Amino acid sequence: KSPTKSPTTPNPTVTPSDAPTASPTYVPTYSPTVSPTNTPTAPPIAGPETKCSYLGSAWNSIKGEEKEAAKNLGYDKCSWENPPLRNSIEEYPWWNITNEEKDDADILGCDEVSWDSQIHHYSSFYWEDLINAGVKSCATKLGYDIQSWDLQLNPPSSAFKLFDDLSNNEKEGAICMGYSEFTWDFYQWEGVAYTFTWQDLRDDGVKDCAEDLGYTQKSWDTGIGLPASYAQFFNELDSDEKKGAICLGYSESTWDGGYPFACVFD
């Protein structure tokens, strides 16, 4: 068959070039313009750069020199398997533990970064220390600034939220500081009782228990103006404060940050 229209010239009208022959359009196509990749289009929530490799392992699964290293650091089955209530060494940043303790931590797969984030949670760091460690942005995502972090003045709202109640930005900050949902909820509230508001205490008939400890609605709900009992060991509490602590479900060991009830009968 003959073409419906004869070509106007036997030769190309212009010299070929690398430029597109027509302007792009915004009409969608049914096929992707490039092959799909497995690379995410946005980074996941940033966590610590490294992680103690034995963190979360069952105590009985740790053998040999790893078990010995854990014991050297003060762990036993109970303190190892209850992350929020471990032992006193976790109160210290990497620079404050001995070389022998660092060697034991290294056997358990921890280095300075993972220890300070996953184990210590930067809890004794000053603002300048956060800057030097490269995690100031994590704290700012949680709403902290130098005053609220160093002086604990006007703490941000994230300090009074459970993990589920945090915004996505705040969750990123918490994870970046080495917290999991479980450890965030415990460390922020220091026990089940603190997940209740003052009104909850009133409704449950235990407001008097909190008042025995010196709390008011403001200090309980906001953390501002905490009573002296907050910073005392159990044996330093007076009789009314001890009664209030026991009424809220504490024993001497759990008040002092020792083993939870489950460990006593383990």
Side-chain angles (χ1 to χ4, degrees):
K1 295 181 180 180
S2 299
T4 57
K5 185 175 182 180
S6 300
T8 57
T9 174
N11 299 313
T13 55
V14 294
T15 304
S17 73
D18 293 326
T21 56
S23 300
T25 71
Y26 296 98
V27 179
T29 65
Y30 292 101
S31 301
T33 54
V34 295
S35 300
T37 71
N38 292 321
T39 305
T41 55
I45 292 177
E49 294 178 11
T50 58
K51 183 175 180 178
C52 295
S53 57
Y54 281 85
L55 192 65
S57 300
W59 179 253
N60 291 337
S61 72
I62 305 173
K63 308 292 182 183
E65 67 171 353
E66 289 82 8
K67 177 66 72 68
E68 190 62 30
K71 290 180 177 178
N72 291 342
L73 289 171
Y75 290 103
D76 59 15
K77 183 178 187 295
C78 184
S79 57
W80 181 263
E81 293 184 348
N82 290 274
L85 290 171
R86 290 189 173 179
N87 66 59
S88 59
I89 196 172
E90 297 189 358
E91 298 173 8
Y92 298 99
W94 184 260
W95 69 71
N96 271 356
I97 62 176
T98 67
N99 288 333
E100 290 79 10
E101 290 166 340
K102 289 176 182 176
D103 290 341
D104 287 321
D106 180 68
I107 291 172
L108 292 170
C110 300
D111 61 9
E112 181 173 1
V113 173
S114 56
W115 180 275
D116 285 339
S117 60
Q118 297 284 322
I119 304 298
H120 183 59
H121 302 295
Y122 306 102
S123 59
S124 70
F125 279 44
Y126 286 101
W127 193 254
E128 184 177 352
D129 299 323
L130 297 182
I131 294 173
N132 293 335
V135 293
K136 178 178 75 73
S137 61
C138 307
T140 56
K141 286 182 177 182
L142 286 165
Y144 284 96
D145 57 24
I146 188 171
Q147 286 195 325
S148 56
W149 184 271
D150 283 354
L151 304 178
Q152 298 183 351
L153 296 175
N154 299 318
S157 62
S158 66
F160 309 104
K161 296 179 183 177
L162 294 176
F163 191 86
D164 278 347
D165 298 325
L166 297 176
S167 68
N168 287 338
N169 202 46
E170 290 167 340
K171 286 179 180 177
E172 287 181 1
I175 292 170
C176 179
M177 300 290 280
Y179 289 98
S180 65
E181 179 177 356
F182 180 57
T183 54
W184 172 269
D185 286 349
F186 186 92
Y187 283 117
Q188 290 306 100
W189 296 95
E190 301 192 2
V192 176
Y194 284 83
T195 65
F196 292 91
T197 65
W198 191 257
Q199 184 60 49
D200 293 330
L201 298 183
R202 181 180 287 113
D203 293 343
D204 290 344
V206 292
K207 178 177 70 70
D208 290 347
C209 307
E211 288 177 336
D212 285 340
L213 285 164
Y215 281 94
T216 63
Q217 181 171 358
K218 180 180 179 180
S219 58
W220 183 274
D221 285 344
T222 69
I224 297 172
L226 293 169
S229 65
Y230 178 82
Q232 293 175 327
F233 288 106
F234 190 85
N235 62 11
E236 297 172 327
L237 300 176
D238 63 30
S239 58
D240 284 339
E241 290 167 339
K242 287 179 180 177
K243 182 179 71 173
I246 293 170
C247 174
L248 290 175
Y250 289 96
S251 67
E252 180 175 356
S253 60
T254 54
W255 177 269
D256 290 344
Y259 296 157
F261 289 121
C263 299
V264 176
F265 304 103
D266 195 6

